[in-house]
Amino acid sequence: KNSQNIIVDSKTGKNHVVESFKVDKKKIILAPFEPPSYLNKSKIINIYKKYKIPKNEFIFYPAQFWEHKNHINLIKAFNLLQKEMNKVNLVLVGTEKNNLINVKQEIINLNLSKKIFILGYVDEKDMYSFYKKASLTCFVSFCGPTNIPPLEAMYTGCPLICSDVYGMRNQVKNGGIFVNPKSYEDIYKKILILLKNKKLQNQINKNGFKIIQKNKKNNFLKSLD
């Protein structure tokens, strides 16, 4: 109530603030997220050697191991994928949080220990290489309103699968394929579609990069002027 202005990431975020705190809409500044600047400075490294992972194709999910990040449904979807494309791996990066023990147990239960690689915290300068080498980024979080990893994927040209929650559709637009994060079957189907369709991958990448470039014209700092 005592603030001069309130900064939010999206129209959805603005609505959340107004509904929750009954503040004046005129106080709210909309400043959408942007891809982190470190991606501009990063160089390709040999992630296979440094992180000791196979040189197979892999699906990438960068997220801390909170329960709401929905790793379990992604793992279940990946398990279904093994029947169709068993040479593809899954790489998970992010710091340990409240759900890591359950994620590890699910991997054991589904006998996927040789196919799923948990790398923990990855230095930001290496993230660029993971996006560039991944077959796709599968961002299946339950939360929003918007998020940074989808922007990173679009910026680096990594085909994106994204949760259809909160403000994500407005953030990603046609720069990704949307999934119902509550349905591991839907996640599996969309992964399979995207992995098998190079033309669709290329189109998504082009769309995503155009969105990133367009957003630069109305960047975060300009929003605060």
Side-chain angles (χ1 to χ4, degrees), residues 131-156:
Y131 281 113
K132 296 301 287 186
K133 295 296 183 181
S135 298
L136 61 87
T137 294
C138 198
F139 188 80
V140 293
S141 175
F142 286 124
C143 288
T146 62
N147 288 277
I148 297 290
L151 297 177
E152 294 178 328
M154 291 193 289
Y155 177 81
T156 55

Side-chain angles (χ1 to χ4, degrees), residues 14-167:
K14 179 178 180 178
N15 292 336
H16 286 174
V17 171
V18 172
E19 291 170 3
S20 300
F21 302 104
K22 313 301 179 186
V23 298
D24 185 352
K25 291 181 180 180
K26 294 179 181 178
K27 294 173 62 172
I28 299 177
I29 298 173
L30 184 61
F33 291 138
E34 296 179 20
S37 60
Y38 63 74
L39 292 176
N40 297 324
K41 305 172 185 176
S42 300
K43 297 180 180 179
I44 293 288
I45 66 162
N46 188 340
I47 56 173
Y48 306 106
K49 181 179 180 179
K50 182 173 180 177
Y51 291 95
K52 299 178 181 179
I53 57 175
K55 289 187 177 181
N56 298 43
E57 280 190 84
F58 68 89
I59 297 164
F60 186 48
Y61 186 30
Q64 297 181 44
F65 287 87
W66 297 109
E67 188 173 356
H68 68 263
K69 292 298 183 179
N70 198 28
H71 290 86
I72 299 296
N73 273 344
L74 177 57
I75 290 167
K76 290 179 178 178
F78 180 74
N79 185 51
L80 293 179
L81 183 71
Q82 293 304 291
K83 300 174 184 178
E84 299 278 347
M85 304 180 76
N86 62 7
K87 292 184 179 181
V88 178
N89 292 331
L90 175 61
V91 173
L92 307 174
V93 305
T95 53
E96 179 177 347
K97 297 297 180 182
N98 71 339
N99 204 41
L100 181 58
I101 189 170
N102 295 323
V103 170
K104 289 182 175 179
Q105 188 59 54
E106 187 70 16
I107 292 170
I108 292 171
N109 292 345
L110 295 174
N111 195 29
L112 293 172
S113 298
K114 294 182 179 180
K115 302 294 295 181
I116 299 178
F117 299 87
I118 298 176
L119 306 183
Y121 172 79
V122 167
D123 194 297
E124 62 183 28
K125 70 178 184 293
D126 295 344
M127 288 293 288
Y128 181 79
S129 297
F130 278 96
Y131 281 113
K132 296 301 287 186
K133 295 296 183 181
S135 298
L136 61 87
T137 294
C138 198
F139 188 80
V140 293
S141 175
F142 286 124
C143 288
T146 62
N147 288 277
I148 297 290
L151 297 177
E152 294 178 328
M154 291 193 289
Y155 177 81
T156 55
C158 184
L160 174 65
I161 287 174
C162 184
S163 289
D164 192 3
V165 294
Y166 298 105

Side-chain angles (χ1 to χ4, degrees), residues 34-35 150-152 154-156 207-217:
E34 296 179 20
L151 297 177
E152 294 178 328
M154 291 193 289
Y155 177 81
T156 55
N207 295 343
F209 193 71
K210 285 180 180 178
I211 292 167
I212 296 297
Q213 293 302 109
K214 184 177 180 180
N215 288 347
K216 280 186 177 180
K217 296 178 181 179

